[in-house]
Amino acid sequence: MSAALDLLCRLVSGALEAEEGHAVDPVPLGDVTARDLLDGVRRHRVPELLRSRAGELGLPGEVVRVLDAMLAGSRQRHLVHTFETVRAWRLLDAAGVESLVFKGIALSVLTTGRPDARGAGDVDLLVRPEAAAEAHRLLTGSGWALHEQGRIEPEMWAWRHVQRWGHTLTYLGAGADVDLHWRLDAMPGAQPETPDLLARATTVAVGGTQVPTLAPADAFRHLAGHREGWIWLRTLVDLRRLARDPAVFAQELPGPALTSLAAARATVGLPATVPDRVLAAIDRIPDAALARARAHHELPIAVFGGAGTAREVRNGMAAVRRPRDLQQVAVTLVLPPHAALPVRSATAWGGVPRAFALRAQRLVRR
């Protein structure tokens, strides 16, 4: 596994170097089988990048043919993702709900100018916290639905708990799921306030429609602080692409962001635009932090997804900036937002005891 990951990192780094106009040498597979390499490509979601630079990288024909098949197989999904992205944003915009689209196709266009430079996924929307209830009604009225075990409504205690202490809800859809965010991070101090993000938004063309998205500096800070991003090289690819703009380094970066940049440098590399002061700060990141990032790269997705509240608390402590952040960590320990989702009570008097009981049952089962 380690040899295949090392090879994949060299290939991805070389592809990004070529993207930046540098000459690159072919990268031989060595002792790594084509199958192991392609398993890593799927795991880390980078077939689009490697196929676009297959010639410069000297990828063998058998690998190129499978990459072509991967892209052909995802083409229809990409078209549906494009349609659903525009449909979800237009739905809110037509009702006067200010929102922006981030990650996904919008990020692909922002970083490369092409909508198909990274794979399809969910549709991520950001709205003001006070607009989340209206966005919920619009989405559920147009075919999207929360999971049947967590179909909360604004009138319920669970909604108020999730709204206060959480930052997103996922709505399942026939074409693409929608992640509705009212903050970029559960930790209030980890990212700028939502009204500021909306005010700084830029626009990109998605499916022929001009759609607002995060400004490059905000997208960079979000990805750098997006601590689960280490499980996919694709997120670190996005980070390197955004780092090509010197303006994203105008503000000082917090520790978690510097750790992400260090993880990027150790895997996919960093562009020459990264300032010396940032490189010096990256040099001070402990080796243990890079070892954890490496472990995340090698974990199966299903294993990482089960890490649960302990990881949320550990990550949260690294992002503490003010007293409200400490409250967030405490709530995550005691009664995290997702613990409220199965509770149907309208008031805290009925909701809190039920949520604690369900949480205790889950902990006992574990």
Side-chain angles (χ1 to χ4, degrees):
M1 178 65 178
S2 292
L5 178 60
D6 288 339
L7 172 62
L8 181 60
C9 289
R10 291 197 300 273
L11 288 167
V12 169
S13 179
L16 291 168
E17 289 282 338
E19 217 176 64
E20 292 160 7
H22 304 295
V24 297
D25 295 325
V27 181
L29 268 60
D31 295 332
V32 177
T33 66
R35 179 175 180 176
D36 286 345
L37 171 62
L38 290 164
D39 283 346
V41 171
R42 293 186 188 93
R43 159 71 172 77
H44 286 283
R45 303 181 176 185
V46 289
E48 295 84 4
L49 173 62
L50 294 192
R51 181 61 186 91
S52 69
R53 300 292 171 174
E56 293 108 314
L57 297 172
L59 292 177
E62 60 179 319
V63 172
V64 174
R65 285 191 292 274
V66 176
L67 291 176
D68 283 336
M70 287 183 187
L71 299 187
S74 65
R75 195 163 292 127
Q76 184 64 32
R77 186 180 176 210
H78 189 274
L79 291 173
V80 173
H81 186 204
T82 301
F83 176 82
E84 293 290 82
T85 297
V86 174
R87 182 168 79 96
W89 176 76
R90 281 181 170 171
L91 176 69
L92 271 58
D93 184 62
V97 176
E98 186 180 11
S99 67
L100 60 76
V101 180
F102 65 105
K103 297 198 293 187
I105 295 175
L107 180 59
S108 179
V109 176
L110 185 69
T111 55
T112 70
R114 305 192 312 275
D116 59 351
R118 68 195 302 274
D122 299 334
V123 178
D124 288 271
L125 297 173
L126 178 69
V127 301
R128 297 174 186 272
E130 62 270 21
E134 179 61 18
H136 165 83
R137 295 186 182 97
L138 291 166
L139 290 170
T140 55
S142 297
W144 281 284
L146 294 169
H147 190 278
E148 61 182 6
Q149 294 183 0
R151 290 189 179 170
I152 59 176
E153 295 293 338
E155 298 77 21
M156 295 178 178
W157 165 81
W159 176 276
R160 296 189 294 274
H161 185 75
V162 171
Q163 175 93 82
R164 182 175 182 184
W165 301 108
H167 69 292
T168 183
L169 284 169
T170 297
Y171 295 77
L172 309 180
D177 297 345
V178 171
D179 287 338
L180 178 66
H181 303 252
W182 47 95
R183 287 190 295 273
L184 287 186
D185 196 291
M187 194 67 58
Q191 298 291 335
E193 297 288 342
T194 298
D196 296 333
L197 296 169
L198 292 168
R200 291 194 293 263
T202 187
T203 59
V204 293
V206 176
T209 299
Q210 289 295 319
V211 172
T213 191
L214 291 171
D218 290 325
F220 175 80
R221 179 172 176 141
H222 171 246
L223 283 177
H226 192 48
R227 294 168 293 278
E228 289 187 6
W230 296 344
I231 60 174
W232 293 298
L233 290 183
R234 185 179 72 174
T235 305
L236 298 176
V237 168
D238 295 330
L239 196 61
R240 173 168 175 167
R241 285 169 167 166
L242 286 165
R244 293 168 184 166
D245 181 357
V248 305
F249 296 103
Q251 294 183 341
E252 292 298 316
L253 297 174
L258 292 171
T259 303
S260 292
L261 285 173
R265 184 173 66 174
T267 52
V268 305
L270 291 175
T273 48
V274 179
D276 289 341
R277 61 177 173 78
V278 175
L279 293 175
I282 291 173
D283 288 338
R284 295 192 290 272
I285 298 299
D287 291 341
L290 293 179
R292 286 196 299 271
R294 171 78 182 204
H296 289 171
H297 300 325
E298 295 187 329
L299 274 178
I301 298 298
V303 173
F304 187 89
T309 301
R311 186 185 71 243
E312 294 175 12
V313 173
R314 183 175 64 251
N315 291 340
M317 289 302 295
V320 167
R321 297 288 178 273
R322 53 196 185 192
R324 172 64 172 79
D325 295 338
L326 288 173
Q327 290 180 323
Q328 181 72 44
V329 173
V331 171
T332 301
L333 271 171
V334 177
L335 192 62
H338 61 77
L341 290 175
V343 178
R344 298 290 179 268
S345 174
T347 67
W349 292 105
V352 172
R354 177 59 178 158
F356 272 120
L358 291 173
R359 180 161 170 73
Q361 290 173 12
R362 283 195 294 269
L363 291 174
V364 168
R365 285 197 296 269
R366 287 179 184 175

